[in-house]
Amino acid sequence: MALIQDILTAQRQSHKLLVLLIDPEKQESLQELLPHLSLPDMIFVGGSTARQSDACVELLRKHTTRPIVLFPGNIAQFTPKADALLFLTLLNARTPEILITPHIQVAQQVLQSGIETIPMGYILIDGERKSSVEIATKCTPLQQNQINDIVSTAVAGQLLGKSIIYLEAGSGANNPISADIIRSVRTHIQIPLIVGGGITTPQAMLRAYEAGADIVVIGNHFEQHPKELPSFVHIKQQQYGK
Ligand code: 1GP
């Protein structure tokens, strides 16, 4: 079955999903995560600066049967070896070089590969730390108090036909996306909602789920504390089953 169908089924059943984000540039920290790769519901692969993700996907594949999904920071990270591609639009970017040029450059390669492609509206929100996405794209993040603008941006994404909205506080954010923002966006859109950036505790993960996130993405924390991954999964399962 297509991954998007699995995500929609999980959303319908209030079965929250936890994603482990792997940056292909940080292979050294990956070794300790390898024994735990079957615990998260999905694995995203991507980073702001990596120049390829082929080898990383191949390595992950040997250690998990979970879906491996590309969350690319640039078109060089595209590989047909993954299970699906988040074909993302940074909705608060304002330049065509970010909004559409890379998509055109990679479009035919993606189509020919036959990979499942999930159109995603990606919204960068200030996490009280300059994020690598902000540096790489020169996109101005929305402030956490601009809730109406954030909601409007998410609604625009849904109206444009995106299948998923991702609220991003930036990798290693000091301040993850607030529950107020998640709740407001959740009440205005029907499509699945991903939240990530700066989530470092099971409590913060649960807060995001309770506010309406369908999927929580954690990268840095599991890179630094790989042994904590099982307990996050356990706590999520206690609360939401599976
Ligand atoms: C970054 O939202 C993801 O794109 C995850 O952020 O690395 O801070 O968990 P962290």
Side-chain angles (χ1 to χ4, degrees):
M1 207 195 336
L3 182 67
I4 188 63
Q5 292 307 327
D6 289 344
I7 293 172
L8 287 167
T9 301
Q11 183 191 24
R12 243 188 339 267
Q13 298 174 347
S14 300
H15 166 220
K16 306 290 185 177
L17 303 175
L18 180 61
V19 170
L20 166 65
L21 172 63
I22 302 282
D23 185 334
E25 281 217 309
K26 299 185 187 161
Q27 298 260 354
E28 31 347 303
S29 55
L30 188 53
Q31 290 307 316
E32 280 193 75
L33 275 167
L34 291 178
H36 306 302
L37 288 185
S38 290
L39 294 175
D41 298 290
M42 280 180 270
I43 298 175
F44 285 1
V45 176
S48 295
T49 51
R51 298 311 301 167
Q52 64 100 27
S53 61
D54 221 53
C56 181
V57 170
E58 272 179 11
L59 175 63
L60 294 171
R61 184 73 77 199
K62 290 188 190 133
H63 294 269
T64 185
T65 54
R66 297 298 199 195
I68 301 172
V69 182
L70 296 176
F71 172 43
N74 55 60
I75 61 174
Q77 288 171 31
F78 175 69
T79 167
K81 291 179 180 158
D83 297 302
L85 165 68
L86 296 170
F87 203 63
L88 63 94
T89 306
L90 180 53
L91 291 173
N92 51 319
R94 292 295 176 263
T95 63
E97 290 74 19
I98 302 298
L99 284 167
I100 188 66
T101 305
H103 307 73
I104 293 170
Q105 286 169 343
V106 79
Q108 295 205 38
Q109 198 187 342
V110 170
L111 186 69
Q112 278 157 19
S113 75
I115 195 170
E116 179 183 352
T117 305
I118 301 175
M120 182 173 86
Y122 186 53
I123 305 175
L124 183 62
I125 297 166
D126 183 54
E128 289 179 11
R129 181 178 179 201
K130 197 165 179 133
S131 67
S132 44
V133 178
E134 182 181 350
I135 294 165
T137 64
K138 300 186 178 66
C139 164
T140 308
L142 287 159
Q143 297 302 305
Q144 297 231 9
N145 62 8
Q146 292 178 277
I147 294 192
N148 194 45
D149 292 337
I150 295 168
V151 168
S152 297
T153 306
V155 171
Q158 177 168 290
L159 293 174
L160 282 164
K162 306 303 179 197
S163 298
I164 295 185
I165 294 292
Y166 190 137
L167 302 177
E168 171 71 273
S171 179
N174 289 322
N175 191 18
I177 306 289
S178 74
D180 277 353
I181 293 173
I182 300 169
R183 211 172 290 113
S184 301
V185 170
R186 177 73 283 161
T187 57
H188 286 83
I189 64 166
Q190 288 71 49
I191 56 179
L193 182 59
I194 304 181
V195 171
I199 294 176
T200 59
T201 63
Q203 292 74 21
M205 172 186 72
L206 291 179
R207 247 194 319 274
Y209 289 140
E210 280 154 23
D214 301 296
I215 301 174
V216 164
V217 178
I218 301 180
N220 269 283
H221 187 73
F222 291 147
E223 259 169 35
Q224 288 154 18
H225 307 279
K227 292 192 175 75
E228 288 187 24
L229 178 51
S231 68
F232 277 65
V233 171
H234 181 69
I235 289 165
K236 181 196 74 123
Q237 287 173 342
Q238 273 184 324
Q239 194 76 15
Y240 296 104
K242 283 213 186 161

